[in-house]
Amino acid sequence: MSTTAIPTNTKWWSGGRSPFNASYGKVMMWYFLMSDAFTFGAFLISYGTIRFSVNSWADPNHVFNAFPFAGHANLPLAFVSLMTFILIFSSVTMVLAVHEGHKMNRKGVEKYMVLTILGGLAFLGCQAWEWTHLITGDHAVLVNGQIEHWGTTVSKNPWGHEVMHDGAMVATPGPIAFGGYFFGITGFHGFHVFSGVIINLVMLIKTRLGHFDQRGHYEMIEKAGLYWHFVDLVWVFVFLCFYLI
Amino acid sequence: MSDHGVTSPEISFAPEHASGTKRIWRTFWLLSLITVIELAIGLAIYNIHKGANPNATLVLFFKGMVCILTLAKAYYIVSIFMHLGDEIRNMIMTIVVPLMLFIWFITAFLWDGNAWKNLRNTNAGSRPAQTEQHQQHPVEKDAKP
């Protein structure tokens, strides 16, 4: 990629220069993201372990089949793919903001930071709708021979397999760990998105105030961008683990 | 070169970023395409489950394919969007090598989960009832004298 010649036989580890050829802040941001990757990894692997240890699990195509203003239409994967595309697109606007920062173009950085923040807020709105829909949406469940109406919470959910009762198919209580893992992991990710939006807002304000022009570089936008892309990266795996498989 | 980049004695050169945004948009379309393929596979799995005789092997194959596509997406996000691909080798290695821990992490724990399922479905994990042995002794003692 680089057309600038790297001096041959550079002794990266002999001191006096960064062996990673990157600033302290950027290296530390990468290490933070690596530790965060292990945190999310541990959550998702724990979820996988529990899911592997039981005989049946909630069917994601059955649980996540609703779309705002679509009533009871059966639309598996539709809403979550909208959320995925929102996050991919806000990732692109973020990388364009970093690009404008390299060119020292303040107006460009401002424009793309605003778009990135709007994308993040749209994603959070979608997640709020999805959680509300799951928690408040009542479904008939057969519990001890009685029909009860349950939403999806961390302690119970109506997503077990269906059985015949009074001549109609009715659901049974689902795997007890489902709600805890779903709300725990998507909530932890949502909180990352929320803090990413706050960080981006601070960066937008600092850009507007001309702080980075005074400093002579837009490296802070790059570091905020690393965090924002990481949030997108985590979503790729949450999307895989909860909605696709 | 001097118009961007952080001036610091620790950094010997600033990686020269592409002047155009072509590569970024190409990556965007690539990520979108992979996501659309993933969604198509997801819907295929949904339709297989809806059918009369779900083919477990086919479902497993599709799920494996989605996992590989997800790893491809992760590679493009990290390499192009996060610019890790533009850094020097030392930087790439200090991030990627520790992440190798995930290979053990995933294998060991999913194996463990599967072992738990096997125990659940057989009586291999259950203890033999010991109450009978305890009760036998006093009965014998009472009976002998």
Side-chain angles (χ1 to χ4, degrees):
Chain A
M1 183 62 223
S2 172
T3 48
T4 319
I6 302 170
T8 44
N9 299 322
T10 306
K11 291 193 175 65
W12 290 108
W13 300 97
S14 58
R17 66 155 62 91
S18 164
F20 305 126
N21 198 49
S23 71
Y24 176 80
K26 214 160 138 183
V27 174
M28 289 304 131
M29 180 50 106
W30 270 107
Y31 284 154
F32 163 67
L33 295 181
M34 192 171 68
S35 75
D36 222 16
F38 278 113
T39 309
F40 270 109
F43 285 163
L44 286 173
I45 292 165
S46 147
Y47 159 75
T49 308
I50 295 299
R51 207 177 144 169
F52 265 59
S53 77
V54 294
N55 284 313
S56 73
W57 195 254
D59 179 5
N61 287 313
H62 184 47
V63 181
F64 310 107
N65 67 348
F67 202 88
F69 312 115
H72 290 285
N74 179 30
L75 298 164
L77 284 173
F79 192 55
V80 72
S81 41
L82 175 71
M83 288 167 77
T84 304
F85 281 114
I86 287 173
L87 218 51
I88 291 179
F89 198 76
S90 83
S91 226
V92 172
T93 54
M94 185 75 231
V95 78
L96 290 171
V98 173
H99 185 82
E100 295 296 327
H102 285 145
K103 295 196 295 187
M104 297 295 288
N105 177 5
R106 200 180 80 178
K107 283 275 170 263
V109 174
E110 278 174 18
K111 181 178 106 187
Y112 286 120
M113 287 307 278
V114 168
L115 286 175
T116 308
I117 291 164
L118 287 178
L121 290 175
F123 180 85
L124 286 173
C126 288
Q127 200 170 40
W129 183 87
E130 188 180 45
W131 277 36
T132 311
H133 177 81
L134 278 174
I135 294 167
T136 60
D138 278 351
H139 293 266
V141 195
L142 186 66
V143 189
N144 298 326
Q146 299 285 319
I147 295 287
E148 289 186 24
H149 288 271
W150 286 5
T152 308
T153 66
V154 288
S155 55
K156 58 188 185 180
N157 67 74
W159 308 116
H161 53 84
E162 299 199 323
V163 291
M164 194 60 102
H165 179 73
D166 279 348
M169 294 302 273
V170 63
T172 51
I176 206 148
F178 175 77
Y181 275 114
F182 176 76
F183 290 117
I185 294 175
T186 58
F188 199 64
H189 175 264
F191 186 69
H192 272 72
V193 178
F194 175 73
S195 47
V197 168
I198 299 293
I199 291 168
N200 284 347
L201 263 175
V202 172
M203 290 306 139
L204 175 66
I205 292 165
K206 282 176 80 71
T207 310
R208 284 201 93 101
L209 292 175
H211 286 182
F212 302 130
D213 283 330
Q214 287 163 25
R215 203 176 287 179
H217 59 81
Y218 277 76
E219 208 202 38
M220 284 302 281
I221 300 287
E222 268 182 66
K223 285 181 243 176
L226 284 178
Y227 184 77
W228 190 254
H229 293 311
F230 175 75
V231 169
D232 183 27
L233 182 68
V234 170
W235 179 254
V236 165
F237 286 97
V238 172
F239 176 60
L240 171 78
C241 296
F242 279 101
Y243 299 93
L244 282 176
I245 63 178
Chain B
M1 183 56 51
S2 57
D3 62 338
H4 67 265
V6 190
T7 45
S8 156
E10 294 173 359
I11 301 167
S12 16
F13 65 93
E16 197 166 298
H17 296 277
S19 50
T21 53
K22 223 174 117 184
R23 197 164 74 126
I24 295 168
W25 285 109
R26 211 172 51 207
T27 310
F28 167 71
W29 288 115
L30 197 63
L31 288 174
S32 302
L33 179 72
I34 296 175
T35 308
V36 168
I37 296 171
E38 281 182 347
L39 289 170
I41 295 176
L43 288 174
I45 293 175
Y46 170 66
N47 283 315
I48 292 170
H49 276 305
K50 251 196 341 193
N53 290 312
N55 184 342
T57 321
L58 194 64
V59 169
L60 202 66
F61 170 73
F62 276 148
K63 286 183 176 179
M65 237 162 85
V66 178
C67 289
I68 291 166
L69 288 173
T70 297
L71 287 177
K73 268 165 84 173
Y75 169 80
Y76 283 111
I77 290 173
V78 173
S79 172
I80 313 274
F81 283 179
M82 295 171 91
H83 292 296
L84 190 63
D86 299 338
E87 304 282 355
I88 65 166
R89 198 184 146 81
N90 283 348
M91 181 72 201
I92 298 173
M93 286 302 148
T94 193
I95 300 303
V96 171
V97 171
L99 291 179
M100 295 290 161
L101 190 60
F102 270 122
I103 297 171
W104 162 82
F105 203 178
I106 294 169
T107 314
F109 275 79
L110 294 189
W111 197 301
D112 195 41
N114 196 44
W116 272 104
K117 186 165 87 177
N118 293 340
L119 287 180
R120 221 188 274 277
N121 293 338
T122 61
N123 58 2
S126 58
R127 269 178 245 162
Q130 291 191 330
T131 45
E132 285 173 34
Q133 288 178 345
H134 282 289
Q135 278 172 352
Q136 272 173 0
H137 286 286
V139 172
E140 280 172 23
K141 266 183 189 171
D142 285 343
K144 270 185 181 173

